[in-house]
Amino acid sequence: RAHDMPREARILSVLELRRIPAPRAIATCEDAAVIGAPFYVMQRVRGLILRGATAPKGFDAGTLARLGDAFIDTLVAIHGATPSDPVIGGLGKPMGYVSRQVAGWTERWAASRTDEVPAVESLAAWLDANQPGESGACLVHNDYKYDNLVLDPADPSRIVAVLDWEMATLGDPLLDVGTTLGYWVEAGDDPAFRALGLGITALPGNATRAQLWARYLERAGRSMRSSTFYEAFGVFKIAVIAQQILARYRKGLTSDERFARLGDAVRLLGQRGANVVARG
């Protein structure tokens, strides 16, 4: 389903109608005979994409603070696309989404496991035993983080487009926020963990994970609640993604030598998940 191009094009069309920043789907072709698979053509969006731990020229604490606000406000806007839209309503089944996600990512972990990582095993068991009730259903991005944004070079706090909609579906919005928290690195985090991902979020001016969560709840009109389950799930999901890539590397299905170090990443993520649960 992550490679269903007509489906993704339909999602982009909904985003365009709602004026949510995303590339515009220009044309869709479902005839596999043309290039060998169904495809769509989308608008090219030019701009700045953040990667690594160093801020580009022109970034300061004020810019990062404004970008963080826009980042959360855009996610709230995405979650405003609900099952009342026929396209969004046809993306999946909203009931039971949390339990399906926990079970699905646990199954992916078991299928791709190459080493014993007790912290990840314990995290999976904790998530299964502590599932919250459903918090609603809407369009969820499922991979919402800074390096999936295109920013305006003239005003880097303005989001020009959100990319990578292949995992978008109909689901629980708070799990979507949890994945975002899983990627978010803070200044006080373990240096080894900070080296794994979007270290730019640890620079001065950025919100903390707690502040991101609070702003989301406020902007979405939701009452304050604990982020523990959702953040723990996000960390677990990212650990499983890293494990899947490591498994492919060890089987010789991919040759990028950077993937050889992902075992360390999985262990670090497992420990971070354990810390989130212990912190409560």
Side-chain angles (χ1 to χ4, degrees):
R1 286 178 298 181
H3 298 125
D4 185 337
M5 295 296 97
R7 176 183 186 273
E8 187 171 333
R10 289 193 296 272
I11 292 172
L12 292 178
S13 298
V14 171
L15 298 171
E16 181 182 5
L17 289 173
R18 299 184 68 89
R19 297 185 179 179
I20 295 169
R24 180 169 53 89
I26 297 170
T28 303
C29 177
E30 299 194 42
D31 183 356
V34 177
I35 65 169
F39 69 94
Y40 73 91
V41 178
M42 74 177 180
Q43 170 194 16
R44 180 176 186 177
V45 180
R46 298 180 184 273
L48 177 67
I49 295 179
L50 299 179
R51 290 194 174 95
T54 304
K57 184 178 179 180
F59 270 70
D60 56 23
T63 301
L64 288 168
R66 291 191 300 274
L67 175 59
D69 289 346
F71 179 66
I72 290 300
D73 291 350
T74 300
L75 184 58
V76 171
I78 291 167
H79 291 169
T82 66
S84 62
D85 182 289
V87 170
I88 304 304
L91 292 178
K93 298 177 181 178
M95 296 306 296
Y97 180 79
V98 173
S99 61
R100 288 198 305 274
Q101 286 291 298
V102 172
W105 286 101
T106 301
E107 289 168 5
R108 293 180 189 101
W109 166 255
S112 62
R113 182 173 50 207
T114 54
D115 304 295
E116 292 299 320
V117 188
V120 176
E121 299 282 356
S122 297
L123 185 55
W126 185 89
L127 290 168
D128 182 58
N130 290 273
Q131 295 179 39
E134 305 284 338
S135 71
C138 62
L139 176 66
V140 292
H141 183 280
N142 264 329
D143 201 28
Y144 191 72
K145 53 194 174 82
Y146 268 3
D147 63 355
N148 276 336
L149 305 180
V150 182
L151 308 178
D152 182 351
D155 177 10
S157 66
R158 187 175 80 86
I159 299 171
V160 176
V162 180
L163 305 178
D164 285 1
W165 291 92
E166 65 270 14
M167 291 200 295
T169 191
L170 176 63
D172 189 312
L174 295 186
L175 276 193
D176 208 17
V177 183
T179 298
T180 295
L181 294 178
Y183 282 116
W184 196 268
V185 181
E186 291 184 4
D189 288 340
D190 185 312
F193 175 72
R194 288 175 58 183
L196 294 178
L198 295 168
I200 194 168
T201 63
L203 298 178
N206 283 289
T208 63
R209 289 184 287 268
Q211 289 168 335
L212 283 182
W213 177 253
R215 181 174 178 89
Y216 176 85
L217 294 179
E218 176 191 1
R219 299 294 287 176
R222 293 174 175 270
S223 59
M224 182 55 68
R225 68 189 74 189
S226 170
S227 65
T228 299
F229 178 88
Y230 304 101
E231 184 178 344
F233 170 80
V235 174
F236 175 66
K237 174 179 167 181
I238 296 165
V240 176
I241 291 171
Q243 179 59 45
Q244 288 177 312
I245 299 170
L246 175 64
R248 286 179 54 80
Y249 173 80
R250 290 191 177 176
K251 290 177 181 177
L253 300 175
T254 183
S255 58
D256 191 327
E257 291 300 322
R258 293 175 299 175
F259 297 155
R261 301 190 297 273
L262 282 177
D264 293 335
V266 173
R267 286 186 286 275
L268 283 166
L269 286 160
Q271 185 56 54
R272 182 181 156 195
N275 292 343
V276 170
V277 170
R279 198 172 63 231

